[in-house]
Amino acid sequence: MVAQKTNKLVIILLNALGFNAFGIDRMYSGCLKSGFLKLGLLIIAFLCLFYINPIVAAVFGSLWFIFYLFDIIKVVINALTKSKTSPYCQKYKVDESSIQPAFYIVFIVIAVQLFLNIAAILNIKNLQDIYDRGIDNLEGIDFGQFN
């Protein structure tokens, strides 16, 4: 039996675009059971939130969130170490031509996230300045694109 090959670049893009929240990245990699488990946890959390009890929803939502974070960390580490196996199912190999582009895409995504977080922190500082001065005394505050 020939091992199924997956494209690591597709896995990275599914994660970067947020489809990993629904387990689609695991399903693409061939790990159908864990992919459906992840999707099921999310669906159960939402159903419990609206129809059963918010505490039960928080439990299922927390389990899903741990699963979600674990997957992100696992994919990033797998891409940065240039592993030749799938980040989820070790029995599946990845297409070797997708290893290097996946490394660069992860590096770019991390850089963009850092940039956006720094920009958000700087914006919060500007908002704090506005709050500290009061709404009537806004002279000297740089509003950037809002001028």
Side-chain angles (χ1 to χ4, degrees):
M1 182 174 169
V2 177
Q4 177 182 346
K5 285 194 170 193
T6 58
N7 189 323
K8 192 180 273 195
L9 190 56
V10 173
I11 295 170
I12 298 297
L13 292 175
L14 286 172
N15 275 272
L17 296 174
F19 291 107
N20 61 333
F22 308 106
I24 294 172
D25 54 339
R26 284 184 168 267
M27 293 177 209
Y28 170 77
S29 296
C31 304
L32 294 177
K33 291 178 187 175
S34 60
F36 281 115
L37 175 65
K38 192 174 184 181
L39 179 62
L41 284 172
L42 183 63
I43 290 170
I44 290 170
F46 272 107
L47 291 176
C48 288
L49 181 63
F50 295 111
Y51 297 111
I52 298 176
N53 186 337
I55 295 173
V56 176
V59 170
F60 282 105
S62 297
L63 290 172
W64 169 83
F65 188 69
I66 291 168
F67 204 168
Y68 174 78
L69 284 179
F70 177 75
D71 278 356
I72 290 174
I73 292 167
K74 197 168 184 180
V75 166
V76 168
I77 290 172
N78 184 277
L80 292 178
T81 58
K82 299 181 183 176
S83 173
K84 292 183 169 120
T85 59
S86 169
Y88 304 119
C89 303
Q90 299 303 317
K91 64 183 177 181
Y92 295 118
K93 302 291 182 197
V94 294
D95 180 15
E96 297 209 11
S97 65
S98 69
I99 292 174
Q100 193 68 21
F103 172 80
Y104 291 124
I105 293 293
V106 165
F107 191 78
I108 290 169
V109 168
I110 290 171
V112 168
Q113 285 294 325
L114 285 174
F115 174 77
L116 292 175
N117 288 333
I118 291 169
I121 289 168
L122 294 176
N123 191 30
I124 288 171
K125 184 185 178 320
N126 198 14
L127 291 175
Q128 185 64 41
D129 288 344
I130 294 171
Y131 178 77
D132 290 343
R133 290 180 182 207
I135 196 70
D136 297 328
N137 188 12
L138 298 179
E139 294 177 22
I141 295 178
D142 179 23
F143 287 99
Q145 67 186 29
F146 299 112
N147 283 337

